[in-house]
Amino acid sequence: MKERALALFLLALFLFLFPVSLVFPAPLGPQGLPPLYLYLYVSWGLVVLLAYLLFRRP
Amino acid sequence: MNPLVLLLSLFLYLGLLFLVALLGEGRWRSLAQSPWAYTLSLAVYATAWTFMGSVGWAATEGASFLPIYLGPTLVLLLWPFLQERLLSLARAHRLTSWADFLYLRFGHGLLGPLAAGFLVVGLLPYLALQLKAIAQAFLFLRGEEEPLTDIALPTALLLALFAILFGTRRLDPSERHQGLVLAVAFESLVKLLALLLVGGVVLWQLGSPFPKLQNRPELLSLLLPPEGLAGYLEWASLVLLSGLAFLFLPRQFHVSVVENTDPQHLRLAAWAFPLYLLLINLPVLPLALFGRLLLPEGNPDLYVLALPLELGNGPLALLAFLGGVSAATAMVVVESLALSILISNHLLSPLLLRFRALGSLLLWRRISILTVMLLAYLYFRLAGEAYALVAMGLISFVAVAQLAPAGLLGLFWKGATPQGALAGLLGGIAVWAYTLFLPALARSGWLPPFFLEGPHPLLRPEGLLGVRGLDPVTHGFLASLTLNLALTLGVSLFTRRMALQEERTGEVEELAALLRRVLGPEAEESFRHQARALPGREAAGLAETLLAGSVGPATAKLLLLSVTRAVPPEALREEVEEAARESRELRAYAQALEEARRELAEAYERLKALDQAKDELLAAVSHELKTPLTAVRALAEILEANPDLSEEERGRFVSLLAKETVRLSRLVEEILAYTRLQAGVPLARSPTDLRALAVEALALVEPLARERGITMESHLAEVQTLTDRDRVLQVLLNLLHNALRHARSRVRLELLANKEVLFRVSDDGPGVPPQARTLVFEPFQSFSGGTGLGLFLARRLVESLGGRIWLEEGEGATFAFTLPLEVEHEDSGGGR
């Protein structure tokens, strides 16, 4: 499990430290929503979901 | 808002909090020990800074409020490496803080007090931030703005009272406070629900804020990612800083490590706590944008309260206020408790011990809480107005992060030394003070502007070495942590680890009495129960652990000195004993090897001698057999070739033939006897009448004596003994035949008995020549035409029976041999 925890940590590190300014230079996206925040909250949610799947059972 | 309603609501809420804490210590204890309560208690991380300051930050700086919550998410994913290891260490040594760990790991007397003192100073801005948030919110809802400090003081005192009531009820070596944990978990739920409700209602009533930004292009920058390298560096630094702060904040250590009842709770916390942070941050951006849109002149830190009021929703504003109070009180109570434990364990206890006032430790801890709160209030009065909430919190975060190099390297790197840890901590503290703390005081006007400018452009506190464009917090964090890490690593590489502290041992009775004096009768009873079957060394270790949980590791060690004594280091002693044992074994082995080598050499020599003897035997036997065989053959040929021989001649030849065949028979018998002896045929001992045996021997040689005209004489005593009858008879016959061969007229046999049996056979022959006396018992040494085996066989047989044989001096030849009167343990092989 330690290996998978480390892999998840590295994935989260990449997602959270990704230089988003290169991909999302505009403040608002197609739906009128800010792509920067969408990216961050979706990444965060994904990490939480993966952590739940990884750690839920002893 | 009516101040009476506000105050009533505040007191009702605090009353509810007291009730929850009381239930947590009683009926709801199991709930307080559940994984959900543990996970929610971790949310003490989300303070008034989160509840109000994040909205203010988002409204002015944009997305950079988020890294503060992404860092803890990352750290929790690493719990199998970090927190689990920390939990096991804390459980084994009753750690109550990182300062305890540093003292335990490095054993340097300065590290604990330095870390404790620095954390108190470094966290004062953070505590001041909470007081400011509550006071600000209270006065805002009352409709007043000045003076802020008036409400902050009673708030500080009220929260100190709560911390004292639920954190210092008794001196507990485990330092667990279930009531406090449940109250903190409850507050975490309240602040989450309050913020979600405020955000939900605002969104429900006002819709999405994003389309409205089209008319306010200056606000669009809040939705953009951080710009350039400086922006990215700030983002990454904040992620790292918040992660380290989450790990090293005293209140986080307290709820996550000290209050943990089951390490398995980390499994739930690892995903549920990040989810909590995600949820509590969802409403932040919409609230910040609506604040900027609707209240352009308002204080961004108060948007959470102002927006419900703007919507005319008084109850929602009150709920938001209570949410903010929840966030602030939980933090203040747990942080002040954690700091008071730090102060009492590392600063007060050693002093109190010196002045023999340790008995009042609980009182001193309560005073510590009160002092910490008053100091936080003082900081708020002195510097609180200078910064927004977030900036004040970040200064504390950077302070806490200074423990990271020594703490993390101490956990995972054996090469970290006390000197390295101390150098790193001192360097980090100095840079933190120079780049963040003193400029903060200078901004408040309490210090001159010099502390913002520095003595030289390259030494400008917020731009060391000419660095420009970095946010002051990012700059201070990177500068202090880099120097701290470099010193910790560098000094550790060039210094040696200190020797392990000596182990102590003591009597259970004396240790129990000490625990009673310091911790009370409950601790004494618990110790007696646990230490019943423990040896002195382990009992002293247990007592030290129990004491360390309450009075700190340094004081515990000092206290134990009076009732324990040093024991030699077990590992060293075992090593020395092991080495000595191995050395002894090695010597014995070498000795055995030498012995075996010697025996092998002897055996080889014997084998060689035997081999030579066999060769000689074969040669001698061949020679001995050849003579009679040749005679027999010649006589037979004569008889065959001369059929006309006279009867007398024929008779003489036949007589010679018979004689030679007798000789051949004797030769074969002696050779057979010799081979039996060599083969090691066992003795057949039985009670034997030696006199009768001697008479029998005389009878057997009588015909030969008569033939030779020799007179047989004897003197035989009555002797009975336990021996091998046949072997004794053979010896006697050998000696008698030998004597008859050499005697001129007389042979005498004597049998005497005293302490042993003595046989003596003498003749009146020429005797043994002097040059042959030493060889007479050697095999094949015949001086009279015999086989040369008779005397040799006689000696081997006598020795096999436990006796000895010799040649006596005098005229003629006299051979004598002895036998034991009772033979029981003789060598059956009879060989030398």
Side-chain angles (χ1 to χ4, degrees), chain B residues 240-567:
Chain B
L240 176 63
L241 174 60
S242 59
L244 294 180
F246 177 73
L247 204 56
F248 287 91
L249 275 167
R251 70 172 187 279
Q252 292 307 136
F253 189 92
H254 190 86
V255 290
S256 64
V257 177
V258 180
E259 300 287 0
N260 177 275
T261 52
D262 183 355
Q264 285 301 312
H265 290 173
L266 282 167
R267 286 183 169 274
L268 179 74
W271 66 266
F273 179 64
L275 180 63
Y276 180 97
L277 295 178
L278 173 64
L279 291 175
I280 206 169
N281 275 291
L282 279 177
V284 170
L285 183 68
L287 289 173
L289 294 177
F290 276 123
R292 289 296 297 270
L293 287 167
L294 302 176
L295 306 162
E297 303 300 319
N299 180 354
D301 285 342
L302 294 171
Y303 281 166
V304 178
L305 302 173
L307 281 171
L309 284 181
E310 182 73 11
L311 295 175
N313 196 336
L316 190 64
L318 184 63
L319 182 67
F321 170 69
L322 291 180
V325 168
S326 287
T329 52
M331 181 276 187
V332 170
V333 168
V334 182
E335 195 81 273
S336 62
L337 174 65
L339 287 179
S340 78
I341 294 172
L342 265 176
I343 292 171
S344 71
N345 282 5
H346 293 277
L347 301 172
L348 272 179
S349 292
L351 278 177
L352 292 173
L353 187 65
R354 185 170 293 177
F355 293 107
R356 298 178 185 280
L358 203 60
S360 54
L361 196 64
L362 210 51
L363 175 66
W364 285 111
R365 191 170 282 183
R366 287 169 183 158
I367 292 172
S368 301
I369 291 177
L370 198 61
T371 310
V372 165
M373 292 305 294
L374 290 174
L375 283 172
Y377 172 73
L378 191 66
Y379 183 88
F380 168 52
R381 291 277 316 240
L382 291 172
E385 298 294 342
Y387 276 131
L389 294 181
V390 168
M392 289 169 70
L394 285 176
I395 291 175
S396 296
F397 267 29
V398 179
V400 165
Q402 302 309 318
L403 297 185
L408 293 179
L409 287 175
L411 263 182
F412 297 107
W413 184 39
K414 284 183 180 170
T417 65
Q419 298 90 330
L422 192 64
L425 197 53
L426 283 172
I429 289 171
V431 175
W432 171 84
Y434 186 70
T435 57
L436 289 171
F437 190 63
L438 296 178
L441 295 180
R443 279 217 168 77
S444 308
W446 204 63
L447 289 176
F450 171 78
F451 287 94
L452 283 168
E453 301 301 325
H456 187 273
L458 288 178
L459 295 174
R460 201 167 62 84
E462 295 181 346
L464 287 174
L465 304 175
V467 170
R468 301 278 169 182
L470 271 185
D471 168 70
V473 173
T474 307
H475 166 266
F477 169 62
L478 291 178
S480 58
L481 198 71
T482 305
L483 182 71
N484 188 337
L485 188 62
L487 284 172
T488 310
L489 278 170
V491 175
S492 291
L493 288 173
F494 290 100
T495 49
R496 296 177 65 184
R497 293 184 65 186
M498 290 166 95
L500 287 175
Q501 291 178 356
E502 63 176 14
E503 272 192 295
R504 312 283 301 175
T505 184
E507 300 298 323
V508 171
E509 281 305 315
E510 292 181 21
L511 292 165
L514 175 70
L515 283 168
R516 185 186 181 83
R517 262 200 326 275
V518 179
L519 302 180
E522 279 182 31
E524 181 204 8
E525 194 179 329
S526 166
F527 171 73
R528 280 186 191 279
H529 180 70
Q530 292 179 64
R532 199 175 298 155
L534 293 179
R537 194 160 51 84
E538 289 178 26
L542 176 66
E544 185 178 343
T545 305
L546 291 173
L547 283 169
S550 293
V551 300
T555 310
K557 210 164 268 305
L558 286 174
L559 282 169
L560 276 183
L561 285 179
S562 58
V563 295
T564 56
R565 61 188 180 281
V567 293

Side-chain angles (χ1 to χ4, degrees), chain B residues 152-171:
Chain B
L153 182 62
T155 306
L157 294 175
L158 203 63
L159 294 179
L161 178 69
F162 189 90
I164 287 169
L165 278 177
F166 290 100
T168 62
R169 187 169 290 180
R170 61 183 187 281
L171 210 54

